Amino acid sequence: MIYSKKNKVMKNLSIYTGIFLILLIHSSCLEEVSLNTPYQGYTPQETGDSWIISTPEAENMDSSIITRVYRDLYNDARYPTIRSLLIVRNGRLVAESYCKSANDLYSLHNIKSATKSITSILTGILLDMGELDSLESRLSDYMPGYFDDNPKKREITLKHVLTMETGLHFDDNVHTREMLYNRGSSLKYVLEKKLVFDPGSGWYYGDGNPQLVSGLIWELTGKSESEFAEEYLFAPLSITDYHWEITHDGLTLGSIGLWLTPRDMAKIGLLMARRGAWEGSQVVSEAWVEESTRRQSSFSNYGYYWYPIEDKAFYAEGHGGQLIWVYPDYDLVIVITSDPYTKSWKLSEPYTEIFAKILSSLQDLLLTGQIDESIDLTVNPGPSNSVQLDHHILNNYENENCITLHTGFPLSNIKRSNNYNRKDPGYRILLLGW
Amino acid sequence: MITILTCLVSCNAWSQQGNLSGVRRSAFDLGFSFMSVRDEALNRIIHKGPGLHVDWYLELPGRGGISIIELGVGSGFLKSDFEEEISSFRFSGSAGFTYLWPLCINDQSPHFYLGGKVNARTAIEYFDNWDESHFYWTTAYTTGAGFRIEYTIRGNSMIRIEADIPLFSMVSRPPDRFLYTQSSPALKDILKDVNYDLSLLLPREYREFDMRVKYAVKNRKRIMPEIFWRLHYMSIHKDGSARMKYLLQSIGVEFDI
């Protein structure tokens, strides 16, 4: 009897303690209120800089879709860290919004690994200047003092460095930080890493490789990468405000650590969309833009520090959601910046939907894209080469406002179903043909 | 304030035994906490996680009131709902001096004390990443009101509520759009950072509330280990600096030494 009473007391005590602890943990959390400022629209501000301001309609874009995209930016809980979205069409800034702080318009932003794509452009400029024979040039010919006795390392070419195929075991999780703290030569630090495969026989992404490019720029020009960039890239583009971190040996970080304003990121994108030309002069050769943004690695979908999209488009990406998307065929550049300091890899995953929606707003879009975004359904050609939209299937995506249909056949003779209206006038089907 | 006044008015209506604040004592707290932090120096997502804190107190009764010296250290291991692993580590330290005057001078319970407190508090968070790992911080030198209520129940057990509310504060926070670079791990650099741009904040810009509710059982004149619940809230909205909100709750034990 006493035993069971004790048991009951203990049981009750455990329950109450459990409830108390749950309540304690629950109540000790701050409230997840809206992380964004109220919707401000997306009309670009006239700031007196070199950007020509336009509107979506003037550039053949459906403003109702653009409005939805920007409203989502402010309201959609899937984008808690996004800070800005800029759209450039036909060389004009048609939309921009800074959903966390209006000051972001002028603030420098850490573009993280998108820095590598800037390093790529600078490599192209270096080649254009004739400072390098070719991408097959061996690094050890230009900076022999940094190599150890391993003969295979001396076979590393610039192309290996640009495609992340050097084989150097530079593990970003460990070695990036060590390289930043290292008091000696950052180049020696990178090159002393063991080879995990012979140069050119595998792919291993690492922050060490772009550092070698930074060192090469120094060796060939006597300028740090940031000084070289200022003279040959930033000055022609009127990029005057930037910050670029350095290692202890004075070299610019080739892989990370560049800070730009979102508008200046868009300038980089526009330069690439215009195939290296800027206001009448060729900043970097068209050939380099074409080459560096196409798949160059046999082992990964990777160009020269750019990510190709089926050879139709390409983008620069930095951790946390720093993106410069470039669609040269559509003369379209999209820039997104996000809070850069997170350990999450998931936060920028939904951004592809933003790009798909913006693409679907292009009223003059030639339906030859290959971009695999959003919900994708396979459809067959119907009578008169039209696409029959199956309502039973589409009803499964009731809440989606953009569905990508992969037709699996050319769309040149098929009328785009951009007027398809399903309850919501903003609803849009994006057809992507083979 | 209304609560305090109500308590003062009803002070004599409660009749219990003598207080324990007239005894010199030294004690330390060991608390297990759960905290949530939204610090825009990192990003705007709320980071949550468990932590530990240890505080030491020296209580010295005097003719007019009680002097309390306290030192504390704490830690926290924080992550957001979007992350699978801990993204930042929080280390905090504080040192404070409180002087309390008794408001009810008879021996009846509850006993009320009101006074002032000066406090120095710093919390350093470390964003641990493969690149650009960096420190960010909150340092506050504050002065404000402190109060204590002791209520004896059932003769040998007691509830003690202690709270302090800073009114004037000198605060250092990272700038709103700070160019975070790989932070130097050298102590002198960290100390330099945590006192960057110290400035006086108004109460609407700096809000803090720290409260402990303690339960103790008396054994003759000696106090047995107390259990406590702590609530600590802080909110900083300083122009040009990254905004921050912090809420901690903890439960723990206080030992006399």
Side-chain angles (χ1 to χ4, degrees):
Chain A
M1 184 73 177
I2 293 169
Y3 177 77
S4 66
K5 195 176 177 182
K6 261 188 180 176
N7 255 0
K8 197 176 174 183
V9 169
M10 287 306 290
K11 194 178 170 186
N12 284 341
L13 196 63
S14 303
I15 290 168
Y16 292 133
T17 307
I19 291 169
F20 176 74
L21 286 174
I22 289 166
L23 287 173
L24 178 70
I25 289 169
H26 178 72
S27 63
S28 63
C29 294
L30 293 169
E31 198 182 342
E32 284 279 8
V33 291
S34 172
L35 298 167
N36 293 355
T37 54
Y39 177 62
Q40 304 283 328
Y42 55 81
T43 306
Q45 286 184 44
E46 287 283 3
T47 63
D49 64 8
S50 56
W51 279 106
I52 299 167
I53 307 297
S54 187
T55 60
E57 279 84 3
E59 307 307 328
N60 280 320
M61 300 177 83
D62 185 334
S63 63
S64 66
I65 295 176
I66 300 298
T67 302
R68 290 170 67 92
V69 166
Y70 276 93
R71 282 198 177 278
D72 285 350
L73 212 63
Y74 282 83
N75 301 323
D76 195 325
R78 291 177 304 159
Y79 311 132
T81 55
I82 207 161
R83 296 193 74 99
S84 71
L85 170 64
L86 288 78
I87 302 172
V88 176
R89 184 97 208 272
N90 302 326
R92 299 183 177 96
L93 188 59
V94 298
E96 72 173 340
S97 194
Y98 302 93
C99 53
K100 290 298 192 319
S101 166
N103 293 336
D104 281 6
L105 169 61
Y106 304 102
S107 298
L108 293 177
H109 189 84
N110 189 342
I111 68 170
K112 306 285 282 186
S113 282
T115 303
K116 294 177 176 71
S117 303
I118 312 301
T119 295
S120 170
I121 297 172
L122 297 172
T123 311
I125 294 172
L126 202 64
L127 278 160
D128 295 342
M129 291 165 68
E131 296 284 353
L132 278 164
D133 296 335
S134 75
L135 292 181
E136 304 304 327
S137 303
R138 293 186 307 178
L139 249 61
S140 56
D141 292 341
Y142 294 95
M143 39 191 204
Y146 300 102
F147 283 79
D148 59 24
D149 294 335
N150 187 336
K152 283 185 178 172
K153 286 185 187 175
R154 291 177 179 271
E155 297 302 317
I156 292 172
T157 64
L158 182 55
K159 180 160 182 168
H160 295 146
V161 174
L162 290 168
T163 51
M164 302 281 186
E165 292 181 358
T166 57
L168 290 165
H169 185 235
F170 191 99
D171 179 356
D172 286 356
N173 287 316
V174 180
H175 299 130
T176 301
R177 188 177 354 208
E178 282 186 9
M179 181 175 75
L180 290 164
Y181 285 137
N182 176 43
R183 294 276 166 185
S185 162
S186 58
L187 302 178
K188 269 195 171 173
Y189 178 82
V190 174
L191 287 166
E192 72 187 11
K193 298 285 161 283
K194 66 178 182 184
L195 288 177
V196 287
F197 51 79
D198 289 348
S201 62
W203 193 80
Y204 192 97
Y205 183 92
D207 287 342
N209 292 317
Q211 189 66 11
L212 298 177
V213 178
S214 178
L216 189 64
I217 291 171
W218 170 260
E219 290 293 326
L220 293 174
T221 67
K223 295 184 172 76
S224 69
E225 188 181 354
S226 63
E227 289 168 338
F228 186 75
E230 186 162 323
E231 190 170 346
Y232 296 104
L233 178 62
F234 295 160
L237 270 59
S238 303
I239 295 174
T240 54
D241 194 13
Y242 73 94
H243 169 77
W244 206 333
E245 292 178 47
I246 57 172
T247 45
H248 283 292
D249 55 357
L251 289 180
T252 306
L253 270 170
S255 54
I256 52 170
L258 175 60
W259 300 62
L260 293 171
T261 64
R263 282 193 175 192
D264 286 345
M265 289 170 72
K267 283 182 182 174
I268 298 289
L270 184 57
L271 174 75
M272 298 300 281
R274 296 290 171 89
R275 295 175 169 85
W278 190 265
E279 293 178 353
S281 64
Q282 198 71 32
V283 175
V284 61
S285 65
E286 184 173 350
W288 179 258
V289 174
E290 293 287 340
E291 194 178 342
S292 63
T293 55
R294 280 209 311 267
R295 179 174 174 151
Q296 294 293 343
S297 171
S298 311
F299 310 98
S300 177
N301 184 32
Y302 200 61
Y304 299 147
Y305 302 155
W306 287 91
Y307 293 92
I309 306 170
E310 303 282 343
D311 290 341
K312 296 285 182 189
F314 50 88
Y315 62 96
E317 182 174 25
H319 179 67
Q322 329 309 325
L323 291 147
I324 306 172
W325 281 61
V326 184
Y327 300 84
D329 291 347
Y330 312 142
D331 207 351
L332 177 71
V333 175
I334 303 168
V335 166
I336 288 182
T337 62
S338 310
D339 287 318
Y341 304 115
T342 172
K343 283 205 162 176
S344 171
W345 295 92
K346 295 184 224 162
L347 284 162
S348 57
E349 281 174 6
Y351 293 2
T352 51
E353 200 172 298
I354 295 174
F355 300 123
K357 286 174 183 170
I358 293 171
L359 268 184
S360 72
S361 77
L362 303 184
Q363 292 172 328
D364 55 346
L365 175 67
L366 296 172
L367 297 168
T368 55
Q370 299 290 321
I371 302 150
D372 183 12
E373 313 286 0
S374 189
I375 304 298
D376 59 271
L377 302 169
T378 301
V379 296
N380 295 311
S384 312
N385 274 348
S386 65
V387 173
Q388 301 299 305
L389 299 172
D390 187 329
H391 288 251
H392 297 293
I393 296 172
L394 293 177
N395 283 340
N396 292 331
Y397 304 99
E398 189 72 36
N399 297 321
E400 300 296 329
N401 54 17
C402 176
I403 291 180
T404 305
L405 298 177
H406 294 261
T407 61
F409 52 87
L411 288 169
S412 52
N413 297 322
I414 293 179
K415 191 179 175 186
R416 188 159 65 104
S417 59
N418 61 350
N419 293 319
Y420 183 74
N421 187 336
R422 196 181 62 164
K423 295 180 187 174
D424 182 346
Y427 185 80
R428 184 58 60 98
I429 304 288
L430 175 63
L431 288 178
L432 296 178
W434 180 247
Chain B
M1 190 56 75
I2 290 167
T3 309
I4 296 168
L5 289 173
T6 308
C7 291
L8 289 173
V9 169
S10 58
C11 177
N12 289 322
W14 297 343
S15 153
Q16 290 291 338
Q17 293 188 19
N19 66 324
L20 289 164
S21 293
V23 182
R24 182 187 189 279
R25 65 186 287 252
S26 175
F28 75 88
D29 283 356
L30 175 63
F32 300 91
S33 55
F34 190 85
M35 67 189 82
S36 57
V37 183
R38 175 186 288 156
D39 195 328
E40 292 177 12
L42 189 62
N43 56 48
R44 299 197 175 202
I45 301 172
I46 291 172
H47 288 67
K48 296 175 260 189
L52 279 174
H53 65 90
V54 179
D55 304 274
W56 170 79
Y57 300 90
L58 178 63
E59 206 167 302
L60 301 166
R63 284 186 182 176
I66 312 161
S67 302
I68 304 163
I69 298 162
E70 59 187 275
L71 298 170
V73 290
S75 63
F77 308 93
L78 306 169
K79 67 180 273 299
S80 71
D81 289 342
F82 296 91
E83 289 158 323
E84 284 89 34
E85 55 183 317
I86 291 165
S87 63
S88 61
F89 300 93
R90 183 182 176 89
F91 309 96
S92 60
S94 65
F97 175 78
T98 310
Y99 195 86
L100 297 173
W101 287 275
L103 291 180
C104 296
I105 52 172
N106 58 35
D107 278 345
Q108 291 179 327
S109 174
H111 299 275
F112 293 91
Y113 301 84
L114 185 64
K117 180 174 184 177
V118 288
N119 198 53
R121 188 189 300 283
T122 189
I124 300 169
E125 283 184 46
Y126 181 63
F127 173 64
D128 178 43
N129 204 18
W130 69 90
D131 62 349
E132 293 158 334
S133 299
H134 59 258
F135 296 101
Y136 49 106
W137 64 92
T138 304
T139 302
Y141 301 97
T142 60
T143 179
F147 71 90
R148 172 187 285 184
I149 304 169
E150 283 179 358
Y151 181 55
T152 305
I153 47 176
R154 290 184 187 173
N156 65 344
S157 57
M158 178 188 70
I159 288 176
R160 175 190 285 169
I161 300 168
E162 297 167 336
D164 51 81
I165 304 170
L167 299 172
F168 302 99
S169 50
M170 294 285 288
V171 175
S172 167
R173 286 280 297 152
D176 186 19
R177 299 296 288 153
F178 193 50
L179 294 180
Y180 285 109
T181 56
Q182 187 78 13
S183 292
S184 164
L187 184 62
K188 67 177 172 59
D189 294 328
I190 294 170
L191 291 176
K192 191 177 151 194
D193 275 351
V194 299
N195 286 299
Y196 163 87
D197 190 31
L198 270 174
S199 48
L200 187 67
L201 294 196
L202 300 170
R204 66 177 168 80
E205 297 171 310
Y206 181 88
R207 291 176 187 151
E208 186 183 357
F209 177 70
D210 194 359
M211 181 179 79
R212 284 178 168 87
V213 179
K214 298 177 177 177
Y215 176 77
V217 178
K218 287 185 294 184
N219 180 4
R220 294 182 184 168
K221 281 197 170 181
R222 188 173 170 78
I223 304 171
M224 301 298 283
E226 300 180 10
I227 55 169
F228 69 86
W229 166 72
R230 182 186 179 194
L231 174 74
H232 185 201
Y233 172 78
M234 194 188 293
S235 165
I236 302 173
H237 192 158
K238 176 185 174 187
D239 280 346
S241 295
R243 291 178 296 182
M244 191 277 282
K245 274 187 180 177
Y246 160 88
L247 180 66
L248 170 142
Q249 290 196 65
S250 70
I251 49 174
V253 187
E254 182 171 303
F255 300 93
D256 272 18
I257 50 175

